[in-house]
Amino acid sequence: MTPHQHDRPARPVRPARPAGHPRRLVRAVLAALVTAAAVLALAPGAGAADARPLLQGGEPVYASDGSRCLAGLNARSSTDHFVLTAGHCASGFPTWFADASLTTLIGPTEAAYFPGGDYAVIRYANDDLPHPPTVICGGQVIEITGVGQPYVGQPVTFAGASGCHTGTVTGVNVTVGYPDGSVTNLIETNVCAEPGDSGGLLFSGSLALGLLSGSSGNCTSGGTSYFQPVAPVLAAHGLTIG
């Protein structure tokens, strides 16, 4: 399918902010459109006495500037480990944490792109924070074993802060216009998304497909959502899942 311009801009969903923080558009190259976030989970099999935090896809990540988005996918190079999220979440290249009190360090923003593309690469700087190649979706932990190429009609699942949502791919190489500029080569789906879902992972089976960029509608009446493909992000930065 050739790229096309969406005839009505997707509704931007503002980044989540701590209670009492004024809402604002994230400016400059990394504007805020949609969001989500990553919570502390317990290591599999851990009891209350030996519980450790870990960070996997579908959980909230908190920035030093007060914003909050979802961890999409853990990845690695030959020497370092990273987590991917939406680029519009990373305005100002903040440092990221795995808890709202900003005490459990993840690490710095290594790269962020928006508009044009919409992804950010966060480098792990905390050796005590496990980061498995899994995503939590509706309470179920799913191992991600590879990266897929999306195609129209493909059944997909989205791990959002608002829950685990299913649907199909309805378009590829889609261009969407946001207030801060257009993002190209997106995956279009009929999967719903809600405020707080930015950066969440779209996958099919055990294969990662994309990171949530923007959406219209909601999960009550239905909607359309757009995802930054994962494969070119990993290729551009020499990363693999892990």
Side-chain angles (χ1 to χ4, degrees):
M1 177 181 292
T2 57
H4 67 274
Q5 177 67 39
H6 186 58
D7 57 2
R8 185 174 58 187
R11 180 202 63 200
V13 183
R14 293 176 289 275
R17 295 282 171 182
H21 192 289
R23 293 182 177 179
R24 61 180 178 84
L25 290 179
V26 176
R27 58 189 180 279
V29 185
L30 308 164
L33 308 170
V34 200
T35 47
V39 166
L40 295 180
L42 299 183
D50 59 352
R52 298 194 292 163
L54 61 81
L55 184 64
Q56 61 190 333
E59 300 186 31
V61 287
Y62 301 84
S64 54
D65 64 5
S67 62
R68 184 184 60 143
C69 284
L70 282 189
L73 179 68
N74 283 318
R76 61 182 174 85
S77 66
S78 59
T79 57
D80 294 301
H81 288 81
F82 305 87
V83 60
L84 307 182
T85 190
H88 68 259
C89 296
S91 179
F93 283 62
T95 298
W96 293 86
F97 297 83
D99 62 324
S101 58
L102 308 185
T103 58
T104 303
L105 176 70
I106 301 172
T109 304
E110 191 87 353
Y113 296 90
F114 179 85
D118 192 1
Y119 72 89
V121 180
I122 302 165
R123 178 172 56 83
Y124 280 99
N126 181 356
D127 293 336
D128 295 325
L129 182 62
H131 33 77
T134 55
V135 60
I136 187 163
C137 193
Q140 181 181 5
V141 175
I142 300 163
E143 183 177 6
I144 301 299
T145 60
V147 178
Q149 294 296 331
Y151 58 88
V152 174
Q154 183 177 21
V156 291
T157 303
F158 171 58
S162 57
C164 195
H165 306 292
T166 60
T168 59
V169 173
T170 55
V172 295
N173 299 326
V174 173
T175 296
V176 173
Y178 293 122
D180 294 276
S182 295
V183 178
T184 62
N185 299 319
L186 295 176
I187 306 164
E188 180 185 78
T189 78
N190 58 12
V191 177
C192 71
E194 295 279 1
D197 282 345
S198 276
L201 185 68
L202 183 75
F203 60 98
S204 183
S206 63
L207 300 180
L209 296 177
L211 308 169
L212 182 66
S213 172
S215 68
S216 61
N218 55 58
C219 290
T220 300
S221 59
T224 301
S225 53
Y226 303 91
F227 296 82
Q228 161 72 52
V230 166
V233 175
L234 296 178
H237 295 273
L239 304 178
T240 57
I241 293 173

